[in-house]
Amino acid sequence: MQQGKLVPRNHDRDYFYKFMPCDTATAVLENCSLRWREPKQFNDPFDHQMSFNFSYTQEQFSSAIADEVERLVYSDDEPVFVEETGLSLMVRMLRERRDLIPKEEVLRTLREGVAESGARFQQYQDNINSLITNDLNRSRVICLSEKNDNVVMWSHYADSHSGVCIRLQCIEEIDNTLLMAKPVNYDKSFPLFPSLQEHVKHLTGEAPIDFAELLYRVPYIKHEHWRYENE
């Protein structure tokens, strides 16, 4: 009996394929279940074990924050903040006092404060990547292929061609989790963190970054050398 659309359909495929040795296939058929693995067991360093690269330096980061805060403080238009942050509160405070304090003094104090914050840039980057890694490694993953006739897949995952390839059907009526499957993106480099300007606007509260969505994209990235798997 259909329980409703509890599982969103992310594709239009009717089947996926799973390669495995015969003993694993026997256990799967006997138990009517598949093993979802810990990502730390994977042999691709891109696969759930990556870290974001920042495409800018500590100095560029500090300078961009200072420039944006200055623009917001001295703009004729009232800035619009989507959410309150430490920088948005600073901007509001400085705007209230911008006609009472010499601009040169405000900018000097601002850049000194931003420089001190920028000095913790590497720690900030490390903390973000640590949180991402810890969260991803608490997940469980099943890897499927769109192909059942790939010679390399038969060699690597089906016990050197002596194993099994099981066809798995995507059944909407039972809210099959296979409906949620999404294609892997194969790339030659680790993913970049959002751009410098996007990062700055996140910190000021003008355009917050959806870190949950950002994190959700990471599991679907693997090195281009694995492209043959068609996951």
Side-chain angles (χ1 to χ4, degrees), residues 32-50:
C32 294
S33 63
L34 292 165
R35 181 175 65 175
W36 295 63
R37 298 180 61 192
E38 295 179 85
K40 62 184 180 183
Q41 298 176 350
F42 297 160
N43 54 7
D44 180 4
F46 269 39
D47 207 342
H48 282 72
Q49 302 170 53
M50 68 183 67

Side-chain angles (χ1 to χ4, degrees), residues 56-222:
Y56 37 88
T57 65
Q58 171 183 314
E59 291 73 21
Q60 291 171 325
F61 178 65
S62 299
S63 179
I65 292 177
D67 289 344
E68 182 65 9
V69 172
E70 177 183 350
R71 184 188 70 78
L72 293 171
V73 170
Y74 290 99
S75 171
D76 291 334
D77 299 322
E78 187 70 26
V80 177
F81 299 112
V82 178
E83 68 179 29
E84 292 290 346
T85 69
L87 286 179
S88 69
L89 293 174
M90 177 191 296
V91 169
R92 294 188 192 282
M93 179 188 68
L94 291 175
R95 282 184 66 87
E96 292 176 356
R97 296 168 172 76
R98 65 180 184 177
D99 295 329
L100 304 175
I101 307 173
K103 184 175 181 179
E104 295 76 12
E105 182 179 341
V106 172
L107 295 182
R108 185 184 70 253
T109 303
L110 167 64
R111 293 189 179 277
E112 288 175 354
V114 168
E116 291 178 5
S117 299
R120 297 189 291 273
F121 178 71
Q122 186 60 53
Q123 180 182 354
Y124 173 71
Q125 180 177 346
D126 292 342
N127 288 343
I128 287 179
N129 283 323
S130 177
L131 290 172
I132 290 173
T133 300
N134 290 337
D135 193 66
L136 289 175
N137 281 327
R138 286 198 298 270
S139 65
R140 295 296 180 268
V141 179
I142 183 170
C143 300
L144 308 169
S145 178
E146 297 180 350
K147 307 289 185 181
N148 66 349
D149 58 357
N150 186 291
V151 174
V152 180
M153 295 285 281
W154 275 100
S155 177
H156 286 178
Y157 301 107
D159 199 13
S160 298
H161 300 264
S162 64
V164 173
C165 179
I166 293 181
R167 187 175 75 170
L168 303 168
Q169 186 175 1
C170 305
I171 306 174
E172 292 191 30
E173 287 74 14
I174 61 173
D175 282 322
N176 194 308
T177 53
L178 297 180
L179 300 172
M180 298 177 62
K182 295 181 66 175
V184 169
N185 296 311
Y186 299 94
D187 208 334
K188 62 182 178 181
S189 59
F190 286 118
L192 291 175
F193 195 74
S195 70
L196 176 58
Q197 195 59 30
E198 289 173 323
H199 193 179
V200 169
K201 288 187 178 295
H202 165 73
L203 295 174
T204 60
E206 297 171 85
I209 296 171
D210 187 344
F211 280 99
E213 174 62 24
L214 194 66
L215 181 64
Y216 187 69
R217 293 202 303 265
V218 172
Y220 298 97
I221 301 173
K222 294 186 69 172

Side-chain angles (χ1 to χ4, degrees), residues 17-34:
Y17 299 94
K18 184 71 175 173
F19 295 84
M20 61 190 72
C22 287
D23 57 346
T24 302
T26 299
V28 166
L29 295 175
E30 287 179 346
N31 299 315
C32 294
S33 63
L34 292 165

